Amino acid sequence: EPSEDSPGPDMVELIVNDPDISGNKLFQYEQPTSAYKRMYKALFNEYWKGTDFTLIVRTKTLPDYDQGMTFQWRHGNANARDDLRFYLSTGRMWLEYSTADVYPDFSFLDWHTYRIAVYGDSAAVFVDEELEPVITGVTSSTTSDHYFKFGDRGSGTVGGLLDWLILDISGAYAPGGGVPIPEGLFVDEPEAIDDDLAVLPKKFSLSQNYPNPFNPTTVIQYEVPRPSEVIIKLYDILGREVMTMVNKEQAAGRYSLTLDANRLASGIYFYTMQADNFMQTKKMILLK
């Protein structure tokens, strides 16, 4: 959850409007003094026993701060910790506990997508989906904690904007994992939209769930071009119906549903969408 500690009188809003994209919301993190801070902190799932994870984040640094993004992980399953820090004045990217740094040829003040792949005590940072990492390192620092923090400073000041992040413990989004970042997250180049024409889909469609494989939740997106009775069901590998996820009349539009599979066993499942004369089935994999 985003956190707010000891707010001061000049504290910025936690959620701000995107100045470039109408309707888009951004999380503004900052820690200008030690007295208060706005950051994102979350615990790793207590049932997860793995040592690898990938964080994908779209962010940029704000001017007038010493540091931009700071991503810190305390990874008790691997008994390893590290901090990734950006320094605006010098252009330095630093894996603090790996004692590795680099001075990349792009500006932290611009929007970039960072894929941070952690494998036990080692880490690699990929930027804007380039195939080669910008920086790699191996940490010797240990920990028994199980959490990560985004936007917390070490020294100096920290400030930036976060558009979205994905934390993946399944390996689906690891570099070379084969699952692209969901297209709907990208808003870098908005196009002018005719309100009467462009917002409605032109045909029925059912998208592949993401992430896939997943544990324990996954997202399914689908499109309805005209008012229709929509039925989406989940089946096990033997073809037995597990649950009905959608069964109702829906207006034309784009929809998204989240499947919580906490009560399901690991394995292969199929989900099917029916609407008018449209029917499509896709496969998903639950790994616990």
Side-chain angles (χ1 to χ4, degrees):
E1 296 290 338
S3 65
E4 173 182 332
D5 296 338
S6 305
D10 299 322
M11 181 73 79
V12 299
E13 292 295 325
L14 193 65
I15 304 299
V16 300
N17 291 320
D18 190 329
D20 301 317
I21 303 170
S22 177
N24 193 42
K25 299 294 184 179
L26 304 171
F27 169 57
Q28 182 164 335
Y29 55 90
E30 69 156 4
Q31 194 174 163
T33 72
S34 60
Y36 63 91
K37 55 193 172 186
R38 294 284 181 96
M39 69 178 187
Y40 186 97
K41 179 179 179 180
L43 298 175
F44 287 113
N45 189 310
E46 63 180 307
Y47 301 108
W48 175 54
K49 302 302 181 184
T51 59
D52 303 345
F53 67 90
T54 301
L55 180 101
I56 312 171
V57 59
R58 182 176 184 266
T59 185
K60 76 171 183 177
T61 301
L62 289 172
D64 303 322
Y65 289 88
D66 301 319
Q67 295 181 54
M69 188 179 80
T70 62
F71 176 60
Q72 306 166 45
W73 58 95
R74 309 291 183 269
H75 192 26
N77 293 345
N79 192 27
R81 60 169 287 188
D82 213 335
D83 293 5
L84 175 65
R85 302 185 182 277
F86 297 175
Y87 289 91
L88 185 57
S89 61
T90 60
R92 182 190 188 197
M93 181 186 292
W94 184 32
L95 280 169
E96 182 175 358
Y97 291 94
S98 294
T99 63
D101 62 2
V102 69
Y103 296 83
D105 59 0
F106 57 82
S107 172
F108 300 141
L109 290 170
D110 297 329
W111 284 109
H112 295 287
T113 300
Y114 301 91
R115 189 185 295 247
I116 305 161
V118 177
Y119 308 99
D121 59 357
S122 64
V125 182
F126 300 77
V127 180
D128 295 331
E129 296 304 277
E130 292 291 334
L131 298 179
E132 295 296 326
V134 172
I135 186 173
T136 62
V138 179
T139 178
S140 59
S141 183
T142 60
T143 184
S144 59
D145 294 325
H146 294 269
Y147 66 84
F148 70 90
K149 295 190 292 184
F150 186 96
D152 191 18
R153 71 182 192 150
S155 59
T157 61
V158 172
L161 294 172
L162 170 66
D163 191 5
W164 52 261
L165 67 82
I166 298 172
L167 177 66
D168 168 41
I169 62 174
S170 71
Y173 288 110
V179 179
I181 300 171
E183 292 182 1
L185 295 176
F186 287 97
V187 290
D188 301 79
E189 298 179 359
E191 298 178 358
I193 296 177
D194 184 328
D195 291 337
D196 296 326
L197 298 176
V199 294
L200 296 180
K202 296 179 180 180
K203 61 180 181 179
F204 290 103
S205 70
L206 178 65
S207 297
Q208 183 65 51
N209 64 299
Y210 65 87
N212 187 42
F214 70 99
N215 177 31
T217 61
T218 189
V219 175
I220 300 171
Q221 295 180 332
Y222 59 98
E223 296 184 347
V224 179
R226 55 185 176 272
S228 305
E229 185 75 18
V230 178
I231 301 173
I232 301 179
K233 292 186 176 183
L234 183 69
Y235 299 88
D236 66 16
I237 195 170
L238 298 178
R240 297 174 297 196
E241 183 178 326
V242 176
M243 69 174 72
T244 298
M245 296 180 283
V246 177
N247 186 2
K248 60 183 177 180
E249 180 81 15
Q250 291 190 303
R254 295 177 173 85
Y255 294 88
S256 177
L257 66 88
T258 299
L259 170 64
D260 187 338
N262 265 310
R263 297 185 179 182
L264 301 181
S266 296
I268 297 174
Y269 293 85
F270 298 91
Y271 59 101
T272 297
M273 174 180 168
Q274 291 179 280
D276 288 358
N277 296 321
F278 173 84
M279 182 174 180
Q280 190 170 17
T281 299
K282 290 185 179 292
K283 180 174 70 174
M284 62 171 63
I285 301 173
L286 172 61
L287 292 179
K288 290 188 174 181

